[in-house]
């Protein structure tokens, strides 16, 4: 067993793969781009399942009912990067998750971890698309994936059919129409956008195109134990402030969630 395999196994990570750094170019124009080492050679991509079971009373997207993955997974990646630096003393390992210059869905596909489903998300044989993607960009030159999974997405079109706004279409994706995106927008929304939040009933995110995917019916539960310690499927005026300290929507600030709660409650009064 290789050094990497042993290390990831010890950390309970079973879905990981490698792609060439050159293949993930161009990078996304984000601030974190400056952290990429000049001689980056490979990208180690790792998946972290987030499916923690069914919660019928839920006004928050699945990925955000658990503790903030930016914190939980970043801690894991920090720890892994440290161990890797000890194993390969002359090499650099730079960790990223989400606010990353790497287009993560594409990188995960190139690393052999699955394929891009029609819903635009990575579809992995173990976690379906209920998984976060993180990566370590390294100067170490590693053999890139040679096997790519295909056939997981059957192009059944259920995700496209269920998308209530037409954001997801067979010929692409329009971010401005995506309900997940709308719940994150700051300031005053247009009447149409408000209507989308009312109809969706979600204070944060949207799971429609993910939940509609038949592959996700067989998704394994998350192996990340930290995701089970404080599952909060319902957010209200009373707990939103406190939850903003520990959940993935916290970065957007309490006011956006309070605005969404207000929009949803106006519907109930009517
Ligand atoms: C900006 C962003 C968003 C925006 C815009 C998303 C978009 N699709 O453009 C908004 C806020 C809408 C969003 C929503 C969600 N997001 Co988001 N998002 C990102 C972020 C930060 C950057 C994505 C980006 O701009 N990439 C740039 C483009 C060029 O790369 P790409 O996304 O790989 O694009 C490829 C696809 O478009 C693909 N493609 C090819 N053919 C087709 C056909 C169709 C129909 C589609 C849709 C795509 C597609 O080719 C492109 C090039 O390779 C990434 C993190 C990251 N650094 O990558 C997370 C990320 C993609 N998001 C994630 C998640 C979980 C979500 C949500 C499920 C959250 C939710 N439940 O509300 C939804 C899903 C909405 C959807 N169907 O895409 C995860 C996806 C995990 C996975 N298993 O795939 C990521 C990777 C974060 C993470 N670290 O885990 N997101």
């Amino acid at each position: 067993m290789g050094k990497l395999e042993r290390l990831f196994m010890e950390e309970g990570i079973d879905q990981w793969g490698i792609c060439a750094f050159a293949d993930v170019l161009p990078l996304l124009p984000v601030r974190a781009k400056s952290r990429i080492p000049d001689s980056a050679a490979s990208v180690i991509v790792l998946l972290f399942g987030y499916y923690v079971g069914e919660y019928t009373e839920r006004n928050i997207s699945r990925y955000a009912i658990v503790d903030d993955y930016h914190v939980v997974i970043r801690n894991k990646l920090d720890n892994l990067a440290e161990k890797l630096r000890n194993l390969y003393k002359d090499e650099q390992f730079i960790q990223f998750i989400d606010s990353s210059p790497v287009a993560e869905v594409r990188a995960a596909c190139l690393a052999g971890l699955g394929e891009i489903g029609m819903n635009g998300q990575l579809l992995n044989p173990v976690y379906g698309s209920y998984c976060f993607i993180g990566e370590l960009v390294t100067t170490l030159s590693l053999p890139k994936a040679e096997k790519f999974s295909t056939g997981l997405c059957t192009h059944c079109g259920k995700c496209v059919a269920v998308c209530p706004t037409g954001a997801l279409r067979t010929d692409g994706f329009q971010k401005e129409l995506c309900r997940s995106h709308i719940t994150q927008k700051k300031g005053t929304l247009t009447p149409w956008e408000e209507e989308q939040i009312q109809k969706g009933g979600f204070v944060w995110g949207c799971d429609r195109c993910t939940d509609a995917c038949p592959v996700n019916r067989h998704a394994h539960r998350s192996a990340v134990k930290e995701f089970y310690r404080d599952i909060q499927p319902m957010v209200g005026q009373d707990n939103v402030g406190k939850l903003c300290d520990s959940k993935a929507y916290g970065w957007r600030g309490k006011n956006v969630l309070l605005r969404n709660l207000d929009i949803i409650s106006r519907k109930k009064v009517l």
Side-chain angles (χ1 to χ4, degrees):
M1 191 191 295
K3 280 196 237 181
L4 286 180
E5 193 173 354
R6 190 172 309 117
L7 174 62
F8 296 140
M9 215 176 81
E10 279 165 15
E11 302 294 324
I13 297 165
D14 58 346
Q15 297 298 301
W16 62 276
I18 294 159
C19 63
F21 177 72
D23 293 342
V24 302
L25 299 174
L27 294 174
L28 302 178
V30 295
R31 220 175 348 167
K33 208 172 155 176
S34 61
R35 293 175 55 221
I36 298 274
D38 287 341
S39 50
S42 303
V43 184
I44 307 171
V45 186
L46 309 109
L47 303 186
F48 303 87
Y50 66 78
Y51 179 68
V52 288
E54 287 309 308
Y55 292 85
T56 38
E57 278 285 288
R58 185 161 60 87
N59 65 5
I60 291 286
S61 178
R62 291 181 191 279
Y63 83 100
I65 67 175
V66 298
D67 273 358
D68 188 353
Y69 70 102
H70 300 98
V71 177
V72 172
I73 306 302
R74 199 183 49 229
N75 285 343
K76 289 191 184 298
L77 293 174
D78 284 352
N79 179 30
L80 283 173
E82 195 53 40
K83 290 190 172 166
L84 284 163
R85 284 181 207 119
N86 285 332
L87 279 175
Y88 302 93
K89 298 239 185 278
D90 298 330
E91 307 291 350
Q92 294 180 58
F93 294 87
I94 313 293
Q95 59 279 39
F96 296 99
I97 175 118
D98 196 41
S99 46
S100 168
V102 175
E104 294 178 322
V105 175
R106 186 177 144 74
C109 292
L110 290 168
L113 294 170
E115 66 188 73
I116 298 179
M118 244 179 133
N119 63 8
Q121 296 170 54
L122 175 81
L123 210 45
N124 168 261
V126 175
Y127 296 116
S129 39
Y130 295 129
C131 55
F132 298 121
I133 307 170
E135 59 279 345
L136 296 153
V137 175
T138 176
T139 50
L140 180 66
S141 189
L142 291 161
K144 63 181 186 178
E146 281 173 7
K147 282 191 195 145
F148 301 95
S149 61
T150 50
L152 269 180
C153 175
T154 60
H155 295 266
C156 69
K158 287 191 171 141
C159 54
V160 171
V162 84
C163 177
T165 61
L168 193 64
R169 300 201 318 234
T170 42
D171 59 350
F173 178 75
Q174 268 184 280
K175 177 177 156 181
E176 294 303 319
L177 299 180
C178 176
R179 276 191 183 165
S180 175
H181 171 69
I182 295 168
T183 64
Q184 300 189 10
K185 283 182 86 170
K186 281 195 170 176
T188 309
L189 301 178
T190 66
W192 181 83
E193 287 170 336
E194 288 201 356
E195 194 188 322
Q196 296 317 309
I197 293 184
Q198 283 181 340
K199 284 183 174 162
F202 268 28
V203 184
W204 186 260
C206 176
D207 289 335
R208 297 233 182 161
C209 67
T210 321
D211 284 353
C213 177
V215 177
N216 284 338
R217 298 287 67 76
H218 311 288
H220 287 206
R221 285 186 188 234
S222 175
V224 179
K225 62 178 188 321
E226 293 88 337
F227 284 163
Y228 295 90
R229 66 187 170 198
D230 183 30
I231 298 169
Q232 295 286 349
M234 285 300 282
V235 167
Q237 308 264 359
D238 52 334
N239 62 356
V240 65
K242 190 166 179 297
L243 290 175
C244 276
D245 292 340
S246 60
K247 304 297 182 214
Y249 40 82
W251 68 274
R252 213 40 171 153
K254 185 171 96 172
N255 288 344
V256 168
L257 282 105
L258 283 172
R259 177 205 61 199
N260 295 348
L261 276 167
D262 178 57
I263 292 170
I264 293 167
S265 72
R266 271 190 262 143
K267 174 192 173 189
K268 284 183 183 148
V269 173
L270 287 175

